[in-house]
């Protein structure tokens, strides 16, 4: 892949920054990019595991005594200490923790003495359903809505729509998921009784939780998509596409959309983490037996093995999601294949 | 204060990439050296290296016989000053014109506080600006006025060497003429030498005594302007000369 | 600053947000003093009462008045939110500053860490901190604060990095300005605005985050209570006494909105905030006027392009800005015409209007806008698209941004022929390869598969020209096609345009601010100033017979390789008039050495000077330059 023309590497006066010449690369850029992203994922997962491990060590005083309360007999406290391995040297505990987390043996609950893996098995389905539905709903609504409104309001067109959009999404984005959830409970428990407001029995019990998470996050992301639409529509290459007299659909979908998605994903991707943790809140409002309700319960009762496990699972989901976004970005933007390294 | 700028074997690298490669330059005391070349050829990097704004990999840079990298920031400020290309980026938008010029005087601390206002007035007049502009914020000035403020700021230090990096590239032609005239006037009135960087050969020819032609980090030809332009020896210099669109027919 | 504050309060949102904020602050100060007694009065007999005149929000499980409790909780809710934001700022800003001030390697390491932690959900971070230091108000505050710190760190780092790279910081360093002052005066002062905005909105974010934690039972615990805690109490009674949840919920929502509104209002005041309504009115009025004006009779003409009395206006708060004010222009088949003028003189807007590419909200009118004998303004859009797509090509100033970065060069070229000539994808690619070769790009087959970023600036401009040649254009409009390029590359591109004109017979309309570029390429030059054509003459007579003082000054002020180095350059004093302050007479009068009262009073018409030479001046000058 060499270039013979003498002009390669020259730049116009306006571009102050230097661009590396393209010749002489061996590994394809995207392979290196992917390897780099995977490395980052591994490091992040290492950090999450280490921090959740250290969490117990950081707690001032005796964590087990704190968990069991001042009235628990000393023998029980000692027994639980051993169960957690707190009597072992730190380094042994650390490798033990890794071994357990990687093999899916998350230890036993301090409270119920049941294996945490059983709890996870029983509850992960509901949580996964809510998270997946919310992710899809958020992305679809935000991208479609943001794109359409962005085109419709470009360059001061339809000022009323623009104002309405800013106001509506502004309010929706400022409403936190737990408030929306409570509002929905109120509406559907008191006024309309179409959807169940508690428990997870049947598909329709996921409608309100998904709605509660999606409303705010979709509004936030939709704003991002709209403003990146405006930016992309102002780019010279879109003017060029019009100057080539391409049909409007081709101008917007073929020339606009991929560039727009790059911008929207970069910023909107940050939003997806909150979608994942949104489930913690809405599960609690709608009394859904999932990982979120279990996590909050465990936090209050200081059931450390459960807390560690669920935190690792949720954090891992977020990290993998971010990797996927990164990969998608790399696929959308040919420049990133080279520039990431 | 006087003393020319001498650069020997200057090499600048950014992350393993050689941007300036063993450059020798002589800005002779009291003369103007024009440095031409394409964008990205390394002109600005030389300027930045002289001012300690770019990492020097090898070489020597002396002003008036002193290695600039061994001077304190204040000492260096007295010897070399620079005017930048972008008239919109080179003035702090939150400081008044007077404040911008005064800041240099304060940093040097040569003048007692009560004489500074008079000096600001003198400098503004030197660059053909009304002293009334001292109260204004940069955003209320035109591009040409801003560049003249930047020149006044640089001259506040009474430097031995002034570096002007593409100072008229962002200006319209009629404004470019104003700035060039101001510069010529100051060169006649005050004694200092100048490194004048531009991609525009005609502008360099108009303002300079000597010329250096740069390409890909290397000086390919240097000498007195008249000689180099009348009888270019390096093929690249000839290519540059041929490429210039001419308004007036040349002999 | 004062002006900006006034803008803040003059907007409705601004005043609403300010009033609500004031109310919140007053409640936080006086709420606990006034209502503490009532809020804590236990009366188990009155547990879970529905709302009533006595208990607006009803009562809780111990019969305490929920309304009083909600008001009292304002102080704890607000204070915790402010404290959490404070922690985030105190941790984040210095970290971001340090990362930006030290070398690129530290910066990139920092960015990796911060990017991961920003994408990491705040709720999990807060829960983690809560577990470690214990569940309660301090844990929630610290947790939310730490969770938000990376956002401040990144914002500070990117802002600082962009300010540091500006020339005024470099200039201050070369002046020997001390570091302390450099950071304070030049860096912090210029990153403060966005930081203040973010800090404001972050208080709302903290408030919501801490409320969420309390709501889940992970924040304030009895006897302490904040809105989040009250909300979860209220949720228990949602069937019997919904106000117990709705009350605190509304307060949370309201305060969240107040802070995000405040942030937006402050941002709007710092940025230039235009009032949309007046703008819209001007736009509508102009569009209506344009409809009345169009539909003038068209006189037949044999020119390739024939434009008469072209006007383009941009609606603004101060009424219409007339960027182009009656431009008339003809281009014959195969002719090379140049338009020259300083930036802002209306060159680009004129040709964009001719090419039917001016966008909303600009309004275009013309007595005649004929291309290849067809009036463009009355053509049906679909037919016009096809007509211009095959007959008109355009090249723009910045080749770096004119090509779509996410599409291969080949696709961008081929699609033109696919759309307009109905070629198959493979035929279109073959044609694209031919055109790339024609504009002098070697190894065209391979180049087609590359993306724009793999091309140099000169090659991109060649590719743009090749794109224009995919059909057989009769006219190529090139707007400053070489301004962003080096001289040697400029020469090549100009030569290429000349070759296309010679070989394919396409006429060329070349725009440049550089009169010598025009003189080298064109046969005729049109000089524009302040939205009007002031002179129109053959290039051959430019030096001999230019008559308009502006044209003459333009020529005299450009140094070229023959300029006398011992004389001052000619200059033009002052600057061009602003569009919202155009004089009634000659627009050049305030800068013209020959101006008389007549010039100030009346606009000179574009009048014939000699054969093929027009000038708009009451006192045309003579003699060679
Ligand atoms: N979208 C716009 N809104 C308002 N004014 C504009 C817009 N585009 C251009 N103008 C104004 O129109 C005038 C002519 O601009 P332009 O045609 O770009 O000049 P030139 O190409 O000669 O440099 C300028 O004063 C410019 O500020
Ligand atoms: S009309 Fe008058 S003011 Fe205008 S250019 Fe001619 S002489 Fe000058
Ligand atoms: Mg233009």
């Amino acid at each position: 892949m060499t270039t013979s023309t003498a002009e390669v590497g020259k730049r116009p006066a306006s571009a102050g920054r230097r661009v590396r010449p393209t010749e002489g690369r061996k590994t394809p850029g995207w392979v290196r990019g992917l390897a780099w992203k995977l490395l980052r994922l591994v490091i992040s997962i290492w950090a999450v595991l280490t921090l959740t491990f250290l969490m117990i060590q950081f707690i001032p005083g005796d964590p087990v005594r704190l968990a069991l309360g001042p009235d628990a007999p000393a023998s029980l406290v000692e027994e639980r200490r051993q169960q957690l391995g707190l009597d072992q040297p730190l380094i042994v505990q650390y490798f033990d923790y890794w071994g357990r987390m990687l093999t899916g043996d998350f230890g036993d609950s301090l409270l119920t003495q049941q294996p945490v893996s059983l709890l996870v098995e029983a509850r992960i389905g509901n949580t996964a359903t809510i998270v997946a539905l919310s992710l899809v709903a958020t992305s679809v609504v935000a991208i479609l809505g943001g794109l359409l409104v962005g085109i419709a309001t470009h360059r001061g067109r339809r000022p009323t729509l623009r104002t309405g959009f800013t106001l509506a999404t502004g309010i929706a984005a400022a409403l936190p998921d737990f408030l929306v959830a409570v509002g929905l409970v109120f509406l559907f428990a008191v006024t309309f009784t179409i959807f169940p407001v508690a428990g997870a029995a049947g598909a329709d019990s996921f409608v309100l939780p998904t709605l509660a998470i999606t409303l705010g996050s979709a509004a936030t992301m939709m704003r991002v998509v709209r403003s990146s639409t405006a930016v992309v529509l102002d780019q010279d290459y879109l003017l060029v596409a019009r100057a080539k007299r391409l049909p409007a659909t081709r101008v917007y979908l073929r020339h606009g959309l991929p560039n727009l998605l790059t911008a929207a994903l970069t910023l909107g991707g940050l939003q997806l983490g909150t979608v994942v943790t949104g489930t913690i809140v809405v599960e609690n409002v709608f009394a859904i037996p999932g990982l979120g309700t279990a996590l909050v319960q465990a936090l209050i009762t200081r059931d450390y093995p459960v807390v560690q496990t669920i935190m690792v699972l949720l954090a891992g989901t977020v990290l993998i999601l971010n990797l996927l976004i990164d990969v998608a970005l790399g696929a959308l933007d040919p420049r990133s294949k080279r520039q990431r390294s | 204060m006087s003393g020319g700028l001498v650069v020997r074997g200057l090499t600048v690298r950014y992350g393993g990439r050689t941007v300036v490669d063993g450059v020798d330059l002589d800005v002779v005391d009291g003369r103007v050296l024009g440095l031409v070349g394409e964008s990205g050829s390394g002109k600005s990097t030389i300027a930045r290296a002289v001012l300690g704004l770019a990492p020097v990999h090898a070489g020597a840079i002396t002003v008036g016989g002193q290695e600039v990298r061994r001077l304190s920031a204040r000492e260096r400020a007295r010897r070399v000053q620079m005017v930048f290309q972008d008239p919109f980026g080179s003035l702090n938008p939150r400081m008044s014109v007077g404040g911008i010029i005064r800041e240099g005087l304060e940093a040097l601390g040569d003048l007692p506080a009560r004489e500074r206002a008079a000096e600001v007035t003198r400098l503004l007049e030197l660059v053909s600006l009304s002293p009334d502009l001292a109260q204004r914020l940069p955003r209320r000035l035109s591009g040409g006025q801003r560049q003249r403020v930047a020149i006044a700021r640089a001259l506040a230090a009474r430097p031995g060497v002034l570096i002007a990096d593409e100072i008229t590239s962002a200006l319209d032609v009629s404004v470019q003429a104003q700035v060039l005239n101001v510069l010529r006037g100051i060169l006649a009135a005050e004694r200092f030498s100048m490194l004048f960087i531009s991609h525009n050969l005609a502008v360099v020819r108009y303002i300079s005594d000597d010329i250096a032609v740069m390409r890909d980090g290397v000086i390919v030809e240097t000498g007195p302007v008249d000689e180099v332009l009348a009888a270019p020896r390096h093929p690249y210099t000839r290519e540059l000369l041929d490429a210039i669109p001419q308004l007036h027919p040349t002999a | 600053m004062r002006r900006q504050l006034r803008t803040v309060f003059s907007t409705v949102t601004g005043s609403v947000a300010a009033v609500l904020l004031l109310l919140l602050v007053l409640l936080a100060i006086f709420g606990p003093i006034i209502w503490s007694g009532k809020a804590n009065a236990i009366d188990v007999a009155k547990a879970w009462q529905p709302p009533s005149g006595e208990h607006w929000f009803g009562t809780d499980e111990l019969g305490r008045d929920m309304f009083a409790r909600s008001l009292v909780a304002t102080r704890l809710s607000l204070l915790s939110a402010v404290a959490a934001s404070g922690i985030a700022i105190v941790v984040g800003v210095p970290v971001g500053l340090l990362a930006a001030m030290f070398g690129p390697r530290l910066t990139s390491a920092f960015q990796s860490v911060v990017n991961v932690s920003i994408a990491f959900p705040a709720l999990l971070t807060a829960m983690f901190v809560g577990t470690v230091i214990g569940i309660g108000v301090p844990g929630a505050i610290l947790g939310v604060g730490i969770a938000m710190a990376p956002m401040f760190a990144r914002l500070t780092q990117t802002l600082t990095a962009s300010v540091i790279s500006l020339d005024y910081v470099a200039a201050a360093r070369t002046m020997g300005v001390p570091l302390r002052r450099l950071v304070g005066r030049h860096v912090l002062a210029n990153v403060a605005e966005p930081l203040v905005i973010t800090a404001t909105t972050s208080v709302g974010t903290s408030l919501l985050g801490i409320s969420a934690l309390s709501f889940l039972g992970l924040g304030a615990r009895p006897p302490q209570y904040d809105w989040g805690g009250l909300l979860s109490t209220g949720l228990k009674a949602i069937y019997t006494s919904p106000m117990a949840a709705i009350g605190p919920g509304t307060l949370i929502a309201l305060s969240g909105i107040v802070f995000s509104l405040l942030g937006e209002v402050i941002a709007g005041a710092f940025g230039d905030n235009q009032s949309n309504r007046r703008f819209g009115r001007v736009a509508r009025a102009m569009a209506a006027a344009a409809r009345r004006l169009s539909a003038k009779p068209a006189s037949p003409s044999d020119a390739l392009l024939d434009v008469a009395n072209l006007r383009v206006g941009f609606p603004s708060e101060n009424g219409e800005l007339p960027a182009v004010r009656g431009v008339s222009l003809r281009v014959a088949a195969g002719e090379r015409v140049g338009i020259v003028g300083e930036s802002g003189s209306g060159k680009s807007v004129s040709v964009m209007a001719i090419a039917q590419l001016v966008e909303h909200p600009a309004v275009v009118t013309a007595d005649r806008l004929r291309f290849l004998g067809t009036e463009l303004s009355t053509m049906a859009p679909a037919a016009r698209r096809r007509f211009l797509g095959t007959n008109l090509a355009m090249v723009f100033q910045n080749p770096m941004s004119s090509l779509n970065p996410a599409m291969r060069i080949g696709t961008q070229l081929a699609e033109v022929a696919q759309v307009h000539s109905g070629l198959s994808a493979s035929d279109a690619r073959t044609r694209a390869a031919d055109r790339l070769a024609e504009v002098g790009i070697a190894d065209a087959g391979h180049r087609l598969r590359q993306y724009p970023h793999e091309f140099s600036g000169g090659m991109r401009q060649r590719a743009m020209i090749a794109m224009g040649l995919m059909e057989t254009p009769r006219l190529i409009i090139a707007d400053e096609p070489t301004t962003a390029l080096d001289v040697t590359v400029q020469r090549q591109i100009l030569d290429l345009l000349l070759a296309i004109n010679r070989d394919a017979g396409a006429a060329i309309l070349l725009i440049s601010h550089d009169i010598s570029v025009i003189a080298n390429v064109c046969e005729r030059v049109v000089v524009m100033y302040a939205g009007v054509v002031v002179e129109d003459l053959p290039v051959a007579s430019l030096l001999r017979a230019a008559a308009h003082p502006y044209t003459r000054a333009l020529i005299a002020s450009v140094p070229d390789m023959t300029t006398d180095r011992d004389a001052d350059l000619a200059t033009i004093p002052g600057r061009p008039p602003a569009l919202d302050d155009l004089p009634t007479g000659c627009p050049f009068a305030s800068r013209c050495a020959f101006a008389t009262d007549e010039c100030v009073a009346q606009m000179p018409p574009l009048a014939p000077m000699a054969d093929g030479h027009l000038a708009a001046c009451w006192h045309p000058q003579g003699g060679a330059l």
Side-chain angles (χ1 to χ4, degrees), chain A residues 28-296:
Chain A
W30 67 271
V31 172
R32 272 190 298 160
L34 191 64
W36 175 243
K37 283 167 198 153
L38 281 174
L39 178 70
R40 224 170 44 191
L41 178 72
V42 169
I43 294 177
S44 312
I45 288 182
W46 167 81
V48 166
L49 278 173
T50 305
L51 282 173
T52 47
F53 166 75
L54 288 175
M55 180 165 73
I56 300 184
Q57 319 292 333
F58 284 150
I59 295 171
D62 179 355
V64 179
R65 172 58 72 191
L66 269 175
L68 298 182
D71 304 331
S75 60
L76 184 67
V77 171
E78 195 45 42
E79 193 187 312
R80 294 289 190 269
R81 283 185 64 85
Q82 279 177 17
Q83 182 192 328
L84 287 177
L86 289 177
D87 49 346
Q88 307 269 340
L90 201 61
I91 190 79
V92 175
Q93 289 185 43
Y94 186 52
F95 284 111
D96 204 42
Y97 181 72
W98 270 90
R100 285 195 288 116
M101 283 295 168
L102 293 182
T103 54
D105 163 21
F106 305 123
D108 295 338
S109 156
L110 273 188
L111 223 65
T112 63
Q113 296 298 304
Q114 299 269 328
V116 178
S117 49
L118 281 187
L119 176 87
V120 169
E121 248 169 64
R123 294 185 164 221
I124 201 166
N126 287 338
T127 301
T129 310
I130 296 178
V131 168
L133 284 176
S134 309
L135 283 176
V136 171
T138 300
S139 322
V140 169
V141 170
I143 290 176
L144 278 183
L147 179 67
L148 290 179
V149 176
I151 293 173
T153 59
H154 183 226
R155 297 229 170 138
R157 292 181 177 89
R158 299 187 184 78
T160 331
L161 175 62
R162 161 93 201 253
T163 314
F165 175 86
T166 314
L167 208 68
T169 53
I171 290 173
L175 288 179
D177 38 19
F178 64 94
L179 268 190
V180 176
V182 170
L184 289 173
V185 168
F186 168 66
L187 266 183
F188 287 90
V190 183
T191 324
F192 322 98
T193 41
I194 330 169
F195 296 112
V197 293
D204 54 357
S205 49
F206 292 111
V207 173
L208 295 186
T210 304
L211 192 57
I213 297 178
T214 305
L215 188 74
S217 51
T220 310
M221 211 166 133
M222 210 191 288
R223 298 186 130 204
V224 174
V225 176
R226 193 202 74 88
S227 57
S228 16
T229 307
V231 170
V232 168
L233 291 185
D234 277 334
Q235 297 298 309
D236 285 350
Y237 57 80
L238 247 90
L239 171 64
V240 171
R242 291 200 300 125
K244 283 153 87 178
R245 318 289 161 178
L246 302 177
T249 46
R250 192 171 174 92
V251 171
Y252 290 125
L253 296 182
R254 188 68 185 83
H255 286 263
L257 193 60
N259 291 294
L260 166 76
L261 283 182
T262 319
L265 272 184
T266 314
L267 294 167
L270 300 177
Q271 189 64 28
L272 297 185
T274 45
V275 173
V276 173
T277 49
T279 191
I280 303 175
V281 173
V282 302
E283 282 175 27
N284 277 283
V285 177
F286 294 101
I288 291 171
L291 294 181
T293 33
L295 174 62
V296 170

Side-chain angles (χ1 to χ4, degrees), chain C residues 539-575:
Chain C
V539 164
S541 39
L542 192 57
L543 294 177
R544 204 166 24 81
H548 196 283
Y550 176 67
T551 312
R552 297 174 70 89
L554 207 54
I555 295 170
S557 63
V558 196
D560 80 350
M561 299 308 279
T562 59
T563 306
D564 179 2
R565 291 164 52 196
D566 297 321
D568 269 356
L569 293 169
T571 59
I572 309 176
R575 38 173 155 166

Side-chain angles (χ1 to χ4, degrees), chain C residues 290-305:
Chain C
R291 274 193 299 278
R292 283 194 301 277
L293 262 173
S294 56
K296 283 263 178 74
S299 72
S301 68
D302 52 357
L304 176 72
L305 177 71

